[in-house]
Amino acid sequence: DAKTTQPPSMDCAEGRAANLPCNHSTISGNEYVYWYRQIHSQGPQYIIHGLKNNETNEMASLIITEDRKSSTLILPHATLRDTAVYYCIVRVTGANSKLTFGKGITLSVRP
Amino acid sequence: EPEVTQTPSHQVTQMGQEVILRCVPISNHLYFYWYRQILGQKVEFLVSFYNNEISEKSEIFDDQFSVERPDGSNFTLKIRSTKLEDSAMYFCASTVGQGKGQPQHFGDGTRLSIL
């Protein structure tokens, strides 16, 4: 699986949009971009995933650049409960393939 | 919303003892996984399981580890003779696995403490 690079941490104000960047410059054509988050030591929570097109669901939006070498997770109105470690993971499309977690980015939402 | 459930939430075991961690994956899911996270470290893949067989395993998943789907709902991880370094959070995950990069969904984990 392609490697991803994320800044170690960022913060944002409650109610504002949080834009979390991820670099995956070696991504190949059959690899999806996934975002998960982990609050304290709870299980990783699936947020969103995409292949080429931008995606939106009730939690977040995923913007993937045209060359697919980077992406941004957008939490449109961050709340204190969004404080967590966010993982950007690239994974091949095979149903059986594992997720390889990095260190992620620690998002701190301040009041 | 359906979820992956894991029991127990916390397991304390003496070194050298056997331990079984239990998971109930989401009911229509076909692919199952175990991961672990040592305190302060990354989440690490252990094993994937499909059609009653191990599909892939990591270097961590040695002869002391085994997995089983004993019935239509449970998925278990057994550690035969626990070591101090097995202390970690263990997460079970499952996915439907059909097309469009279906995501894995995780349980909230079992905290395993080896004394």
Side-chain angles (χ1 to χ4, degrees):
Chain A
D1 294 333
K3 184 177 165 57
T4 63
T5 305
Q6 301 177 257
S9 63
M10 67 176 290
D11 63 18
C12 76
E14 191 177 19
R16 305 298 294 266
N19 297 290
L20 286 70
C22 180
N23 181 286
H24 31 79
S25 57
T26 60
I27 193 169
S28 58
N30 65 344
E31 289 180 312
Y32 281 78
V33 179
Y34 295 81
W35 283 84
Y36 283 79
R37 72 181 182 184
Q38 190 174 27
I39 299 171
H40 298 300
S41 291
Q42 294 177 20
Q45 179 188 21
Y46 166 73
I47 301 172
I48 199 166
H49 74 287
L51 184 63
K52 289 189 277 196
N53 300 322
N54 298 336
E55 302 287 345
T56 294
N57 63 21
E58 64 278 3
M59 289 183 70
S61 296
L62 174 60
I63 308 298
I64 303 174
T65 57
E66 195 167 337
D67 63 9
R68 301 185 69 237
K69 293 185 177 182
S70 65
S71 60
T72 301
L73 179 74
I74 301 173
L75 307 178
H77 306 287
T79 71
L80 298 179
R81 288 179 297 178
D82 292 322
T83 293
V85 180
Y86 287 77
Y87 300 100
C88 169
I89 301 170
V90 169
R91 173 180 172 243
V92 296
T93 52
N96 229 6
S97 57
K98 62 183 184 283
L99 292 168
T100 301
F101 287 79
K103 294 181 181 178
I105 178 172
T106 299
L107 173 67
S108 300
V109 181
R110 60 181 189 274
Chain B
E1 185 175 319
E3 57 183 29
V4 175
T5 56
Q6 292 187 242
T7 55
S9 56
H10 191 188
Q11 174 80 46
V12 182
T13 302
Q14 291 287 332
M15 186 172 59
Q17 295 296 304
E18 176 184 285
V19 67
I20 297 175
L21 308 182
R22 302 181 191 281
C23 169
V24 179
I26 296 173
S27 63
N28 63 334
H29 285 191
L30 301 175
Y31 297 82
F32 314 112
Y33 308 82
W34 284 101
Y35 294 80
R36 79 170 187 190
Q37 186 175 32
I38 294 171
L39 186 63
Q41 298 187 22
K42 299 178 193 178
V43 177
E44 302 173 286
F45 167 78
L46 292 178
V47 65
S48 60
F49 190 86
Y50 169 70
N51 200 26
N52 281 320
E53 288 184 347
I54 290 174
S55 307
E56 185 181 357
K57 58 184 181 179
S58 70
E59 290 180 356
I60 303 167
F61 194 89
D62 62 21
D63 291 346
Q64 293 301 311
F65 290 86
S66 63
V67 288
E68 192 179 28
R69 188 155 163 81
D71 53 41
S73 59
N74 290 285
F75 179 51
T76 62
L77 174 69
K78 183 195 292 187
I79 309 175
R80 265 180 267 284
S81 178
T82 50
K83 307 184 189 97
L84 293 176
E85 53 265 36
D86 294 327
S87 294
M89 285 291 294
Y90 287 80
F91 298 111
C92 173
S94 68
T95 182
V96 168
Q98 291 181 0
K100 297 196 176 180
Q102 290 293 331
Q104 294 176 24
H105 295 273
F106 287 76
D108 272 338
T110 293
R111 180 178 301 281
L112 179 62
S113 300
I114 307 300
L115 305 179

